[in-house]
């Protein structure tokens, strides 16, 4: 069995979707547990939203638990494809608690125009720090250099490599030793699975949401407008700036009761820092909990990993069966309550969902 440690839940869903697309039996959970009849076990952590110390502790806990699960033969570390998170510190912690001696970190996704050339990260040939990722609330991209973003990584046994094409990714996987932990994004994981598991690729498909029973939450600063026939309600600036959300929640509840569906989104992004990021996701989680308590929707769609983790934790959803990969990174799952949950990273397109 291949185990994946992901630093946020949309990244975990993306990995589970890839495994599902390749015909593998996959389970997504928030805890490292023994799962029979499973080829790929994906553990969704929330370490990207934690402090460095918390992220290191959680990485050690999960890696240690996985080492004690019979049948786990390979480990992969999923990281953000835009360099966000406590990557080097988490990898160092996992190396300390696993049988791996070193790590190879390649966050590039050439299939999506995200490449690394001469140690510089580009999105569609634009340096990362010149994109909207410079506005990220917790990890704003002030530099596009991997060595500047993760100083001292090599001293911790973490190598970083260029990748400008999928062929570069394939070669990196093919030449990595059995004692090297691979860490990175979707393209690296896809190549990893194809090398270490027997795969039979499925086709991605479209999903038509039920306009009478859907909640859509756009909780990312990278969100793009959605046109699907459901009204969008934006967080008021005063709530964004810290005012009580109780009045807005009541307004949303009234609209949800009336229409059966709603889109909740964040439009402002003039504040940065961990405090505002935590506030926004917890506010969104509280609002969604209030709406679901009125009536559980048939479909819950969440954009943004930290927001998704906060919402699903508040709802008590911790285990999912993958039902469909709608598009790369856009994954539809069924929760144990019967509600369908679709998630995607904030910077990814919606694919066949809208």
């Amino acid at each position: 069995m291949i185990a994946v440690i992901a630093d946020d839940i949309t990244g975990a869903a993306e990995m589970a979707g890839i495994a599902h697309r390749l015909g593998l039996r996959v389970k997504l959970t928030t805890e490292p547990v023994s799962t029979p009849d499973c080829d790929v076990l994906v553990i969704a952590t929330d370490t990207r939203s934690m402090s460095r110390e918390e992220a290191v502790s959680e990485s050690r806990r999960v890696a240690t638990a996985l080492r004690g699960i019979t049948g786990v033969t390979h480990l992969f570390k999923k990281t953000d494809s835009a360099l966000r998170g406590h990557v080097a510190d988490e990898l160092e912690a996992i190396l300390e608690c696993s049988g791996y001696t070193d790590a190879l970190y390649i966050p590039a996704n050439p299939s999506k125009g995200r490449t690394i050339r001469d140690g510089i990260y580009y999105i569609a040939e634009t340096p990362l720090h010149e994109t909207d990722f410079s506005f990220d609330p917790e990890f704003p991209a002030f530099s596009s250099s991997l060595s500047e973003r993760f100083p001292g990584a090599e001293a911790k046994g973490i190598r970083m490599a260029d990748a400008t094409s999928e062929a570069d990714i394939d070669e990196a996987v093919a030449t990595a030793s059995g004692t090297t932990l691979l860490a990175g994004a979707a393209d690296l994981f896809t190549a990893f699975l194809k090398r270490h598991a027997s795969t039979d690729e499925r086709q991605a498909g479209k999903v038509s949401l039920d306009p009478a029973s859907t909640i859509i939450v756009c909780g990312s600063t990278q969100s793009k407008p959605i046109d699907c026939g459901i009204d969008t309600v934006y967080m008021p600036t005063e709530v964004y700036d810290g005012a009580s959300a109780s009045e807005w929640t009541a307004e949303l509840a009234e609209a949800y009761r009336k229409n059966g569906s709603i889109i909740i989104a964040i439009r402002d992004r003039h504040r940065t820092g961990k405090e505002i990021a935590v506030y926004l996701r917890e506010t969104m989680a509280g609002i969604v909990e209030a709406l679901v308590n009125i009536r559980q929707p048939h479909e819950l769609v969440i954009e943004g990993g930290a927001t998704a983790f906060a919402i699903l934790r508040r709802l008590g959803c911790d285990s999912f069966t993958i039902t469909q990969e709608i598009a790369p990174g856009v994954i539809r799952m069924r929760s144990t309550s019967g509600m369908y949950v679709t998630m995607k990273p904030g910077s990814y397109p919606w694919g066949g969902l809208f």
Side-chain angles (χ1 to χ4, degrees):
M1 182 169 64
I2 294 169
V4 181
I5 303 176
D7 65 354
D8 84 330
I9 198 164
T10 54
E14 181 179 18
M15 299 298 97
I18 291 169
H20 177 78
R21 182 208 314 158
L22 294 178
L24 300 170
R25 300 169 300 174
V26 57
K27 190 76 172 180
L28 189 154
T29 73
T30 56
E31 285 294 329
V33 294
S34 180
T35 304
D37 301 322
C38 179
D39 301 310
V40 180
L41 175 64
V42 184
I43 299 93
T45 74
D46 194 34
T47 53
R48 195 190 306 169
S49 299
M50 297 177 182
S51 68
R52 187 195 71 81
E53 293 76 13
E54 291 169 337
V56 167
S57 176
E58 179 68 357
S59 295
R60 286 197 181 108
R61 184 186 74 84
V62 173
T64 300
L66 284 173
R67 197 169 187 183
I69 294 177
T70 302
V72 175
T73 56
H74 296 85
L75 182 61
F76 184 93
K77 171 60 176 171
K78 167 64 172 72
T79 68
D80 180 52
S81 64
L83 313 187
R84 296 173 295 181
H86 310 284
V87 177
D89 296 308
E90 291 182 36
L91 286 174
E92 183 181 23
I94 293 171
L95 289 175
E96 291 172 357
C97 302
S98 67
Y100 293 96
T101 60
D102 63 298
L104 177 60
Y105 173 49
I106 307 179
N109 266 340
S111 67
K112 298 179 179 66
R114 301 186 176 195
T115 59
I116 302 170
R117 185 171 64 251
D118 298 327
I120 304 299
Y121 196 100
Y122 296 90
I123 296 181
E125 295 301 318
T126 300
L128 181 67
H129 72 280
E130 296 178 12
T131 71
D132 283 351
F133 285 102
S134 63
F135 299 105
D136 187 80
E138 292 183 88
F139 298 98
F142 297 134
S143 171
S144 302
S145 167
L146 269 69
S147 61
E148 291 180 5
R149 176 66 184 83
F150 307 107
E154 290 193 8
K156 298 176 180 180
I158 303 163
R159 294 179 290 113
M160 298 180 284
D162 285 355
T164 60
S165 67
E166 291 179 73
D168 290 342
I169 298 286
D170 291 340
E171 182 179 1
V173 172
T175 57
S177 74
T179 59
T180 296
L181 171 67
L182 293 183
D187 284 2
L188 187 69
F189 184 60
T190 301
F192 176 81
L193 283 184
K194 288 181 176 180
R195 184 164 184 84
H196 292 288
S198 177
T199 62
D200 184 16
E201 191 158 354
R202 299 183 176 104
Q203 294 297 312
K206 293 186 177 182
V207 168
S208 297
L209 298 179
D210 181 356
S213 185
T214 296
I215 295 175
I216 301 174
V217 183
C218 300
S220 169
T221 58
Q222 308 296 323
S223 296
K224 302 296 187 293
I226 300 169
D227 183 11
C228 62
I230 300 174
D231 290 341
T232 300
V233 183
Y234 290 97
M235 178 180 284
T237 296
E238 58 268 25
V239 174
Y240 178 90
D241 285 334
S244 172
S246 58
E247 183 176 339
W248 187 47
T249 302
E251 293 174 1
L252 292 170
E254 182 179 354
Y256 182 57
R257 287 191 184 97
K258 178 182 178 181
N259 301 319
S261 295
I262 196 166
I263 300 174
I264 310 167
I266 299 171
R267 179 162 41 198
D268 293 293
R269 61 179 188 181
H270 56 268
R271 299 170 62 194
T272 60
K274 186 172 182 61
E275 181 180 349
I276 180 62
V278 172
Y279 166 75
L280 289 174
R281 61 176 172 259
E282 292 300 330
T283 298
M284 286 295 210
I287 289 168
V288 173
E289 181 183 30
L291 297 181
V292 172
N293 284 341
I294 294 171
R295 181 177 62 255
Q296 177 175 287
H298 186 259
E299 304 277 351
L300 174 61
V301 181
I302 313 173
E303 182 181 43
T307 301
F309 196 92
I311 290 171
L312 296 175
R313 179 182 57 192
R314 191 75 72 94
L315 297 180
C317 299
D318 58 9
S319 183
F320 303 90
T321 300
I322 310 303
T323 61
Q324 193 171 1
E325 182 189 46
I326 299 168
V330 185
I331 312 303
R332 188 170 184 253
M333 312 175 296
R334 186 178 177 88
S335 68
T336 52
S337 71
M339 178 175 62
Y340 286 94
V341 178
T342 299
M343 294 187 290
K344 84 167 188 70
S347 61
Y348 280 29
W350 286 101
L353 188 58
F354 300 117

